[in-house]
Amino acid sequence: RDRLLRAGVYEATRARVRQLQAEIADCEEHLRRFEERYGMSLQRFETERLAGLDTLQVHEDYNDWFYWQAVLDDKRNLLASIQQVKVT
């Protein structure tokens, strides 16, 4: 029974890791588009362009960009936490 449970947990964990990796790739794609559009990273955008949010579109882009960065950070942290746990 324990062996069966371990195998189930192992497979569920592997599936979750694959799902998180796909979600991370999706977040990175969203971030890449903003970096290409503005020719800089979010960090640089915040220091150089944030004061000049002169259009609604730039403001909306910043909000979306910030959101995707936060989601990426959360997913990477979750993945790292899962990968640190070892099923024995």
Side-chain angles (χ1 to χ4, degrees):
R1 179 180 136 181
D2 286 343
R3 192 172 179 193
L4 182 60
L5 288 173
R6 265 191 229 116
V9 169
Y10 177 77
E11 287 304 317
T13 302
R14 284 185 53 199
R16 183 63 175 132
V17 165
R18 285 191 304 272
Q19 180 185 17
L20 282 169
Q21 288 169 333
E23 291 171 359
I24 287 169
D26 184 50
C27 291
E28 289 171 340
E29 178 61 24
H30 283 281
L31 293 171
R32 185 189 59 74
R33 287 187 209 139
F34 287 114
E35 289 171 355
E36 285 179 0
R37 182 178 302 153
Y38 291 97
M40 62 183 73
S41 67
L42 175 61
Q43 203 170 34
R44 186 170 159 211
F45 182 88
E46 289 176 325
T47 58
E48 294 180 14
R49 297 251 344 238
L50 195 54
L53 293 179
D54 51 356
T55 68
L56 181 60
Q57 184 61 53
V58 173
H59 181 73
E60 288 177 0
D61 283 351
Y62 171 69
N63 287 335
D64 290 345
W65 199 350
F66 184 86
Y67 166 80
W68 284 110
Q69 185 62 58
V71 171
L72 176 63
D73 294 342
D74 288 344
K75 299 224 180 262
R76 283 182 174 164
N77 288 335
L78 180 56
L79 180 60
S81 295
I82 289 172
Q83 290 174 329
Q84 286 179 351
V85 175
K86 293 187 180 199
V87 179
T88 56

